[in-house]
Amino acid sequence: MPVLLCAPLIHYCYELIHPFWDGNGRVGRVLEATMLQAEGFQYAPFAQAHYYCARIDRYFTLFNHCRKSADKEQANPNAPFVEFFLEGMRITLNILHHRVNQIVNQLLFENDLKRRHDEKEINARQYAIVTQVLSVGKPLPLGELREAPWYLALYTERIDKTKQRDLKKLREQQLLTLDAKNQLWPGFVQPDPGEEWERQESSARSARIPGASEGRSGEGKK
C-alpha cells in the first residue's frame, strides 16, 4: 500500500486504540510523520502539524465520523480522514514550495544588493536602509522608518532632500517598494493585501497542537 494511504490509516487506527490516558494525538501524528519521512518525505510530514492545528475541530470530528461509519459497516469508512490528510499534504507541499522560492529570491536579492553597493551603484546609507528593512521581516511603515534612531543617525549632517533622494533611488532601482498603505517592502517581495510578508515568513513552520487532557476517539484534545 502506498505510504500516502498507509500513514494516515496508521494514524487513524492508533487513535481508535487510544492506548494512553494522555498524548495519543501527538503520538499518532509522530507515527504518521515518521512513516512518511522513512519513505523520503523530508519536511512535509512534520509541517503537516500546522495543517491539523489550523483545522483542529475538523480533525477531531473526522475521527468520530469515521468510527461511527465503521460501526454501521458502511463502505470505506476511513476514506474521509485519508482525504483530509491528502488535502493537507497538498497544501503543506505548496506552502513549502512557496517558502523555498521565497528563500532563493531573498538570497539572490541580498547578493545583488551587495554587488550594487560594492560597485557604487548605491551608497552606504541606501545599503543600510534596505538591509534594515530586510531584517525587520515584515513591511516597514514609512513613518516608522523616518522616526527610527538608526535612520536619523544616517542623516545627522544632511538635509531632508538627501533623505528623499536616497529613498527615491532605492524605489527606482526596485530595491524597495512602497505600497498603498505607505509601507516599505524589500524589492523581491510583491505587496499583496491578502497575504502579508510576515505571514509568509511563518506559513511553513510547524505548529504544535496542544495535547493536554486528551479524550478517547476524538473526544477532547488529541
Side-chain angles (χ1 to χ4, degrees), residues 8-16 25 28-29 32 52 56-69 77-78 81 84 216-219 222:
L9 288 173
I10 291 294
H11 181 177
Y12 167 76
C13 290
Y14 178 85
E15 302 305 336
L16 289 184
R29 290 188 291 275
E32 176 188 278
Y52 288 138
I56 197 69
D57 290 338
R58 187 179 173 203
Y59 174 77
F60 291 147
T61 299
L62 278 171
F63 285 118
N64 282 326
H65 172 78
C66 293
R67 175 177 54 80
K68 290 176 182 178
S69 296
N78 306 331
F81 185 77
F84 176 63
R216 292 186 59 86
S217 302
E219 297 174 2
K222 286 197 171 288

Side-chain angles (χ1 to χ4, degrees), residues 49-171:
H50 179 77
Y51 170 79
Y52 288 138
C53 183
R55 298 158 181 80
I56 197 69
D57 290 338
R58 187 179 173 203
Y59 174 77
F60 291 147
T61 299
L62 278 171
F63 285 118
N64 282 326
H65 172 78
C66 293
R67 175 177 54 80
K68 290 176 182 178
S69 296
D71 290 342
K72 296 176 182 178
E73 299 183 350
Q74 295 179 358
N76 304 315
N78 306 331
F81 185 77
V82 174
E83 291 172 357
F84 176 63
F85 160 82
L86 291 173
E87 176 65 8
M89 283 293 288
R90 184 189 67 80
I91 291 172
T92 299
L93 288 170
N94 283 341
I95 288 172
L96 291 175
H97 182 264
H98 172 77
R99 175 60 177 153
V100 169
N101 285 340
Q102 188 180 42
I103 291 172
V104 170
N105 288 337
Q106 181 167 342
L107 290 173
L108 292 172
F109 178 82
E110 290 175 353
N111 184 66
D112 182 58
L113 178 66
K114 186 177 184 305
R115 178 194 62 78
R116 294 189 193 210
H117 176 253
D118 292 344
E119 296 179 3
K120 310 298 184 183
E121 293 182 20
I122 58 174
N123 60 43
R125 296 186 306 274
Q126 293 166 329
Y127 181 78
I129 291 169
V130 179
T131 300
Q132 286 292 329
V133 172
L134 272 171
S135 70
V136 172
K138 61 182 180 180
L140 180 64
L142 184 58
E144 185 176 322
L145 170 73
R146 287 171 171 164
E147 295 176 1
W150 63 265
Y151 180 75
L152 295 174
L154 294 175
Y155 296 95
T156 51
E157 298 180 359
R158 302 185 185 276
I159 61 177
D160 285 344
K161 285 187 177 180
T162 304
K163 297 179 184 179
Q164 297 170 8
R165 186 166 56 248
D166 281 350
L167 285 175
K168 181 180 179 182
K169 185 173 181 179
L170 290 174
R171 293 173 62 188

Side-chain angles (χ1 to χ4, degrees), residues 180-197:
K181 296 180 180 179
N182 266 349
Q183 299 179 122
L184 288 169
W185 301 68
F188 71 96
V189 179
Q190 292 299 320
D192 181 353
E195 187 178 16
E196 293 189 0
W197 188 29

Side-chain angles (χ1 to χ4, degrees), residues 28-40:
R29 290 188 291 275
V30 168
L31 285 173
E32 176 188 278
T34 301
M35 291 183 66
L36 290 165
Q37 199 167 46
E39 292 294 321

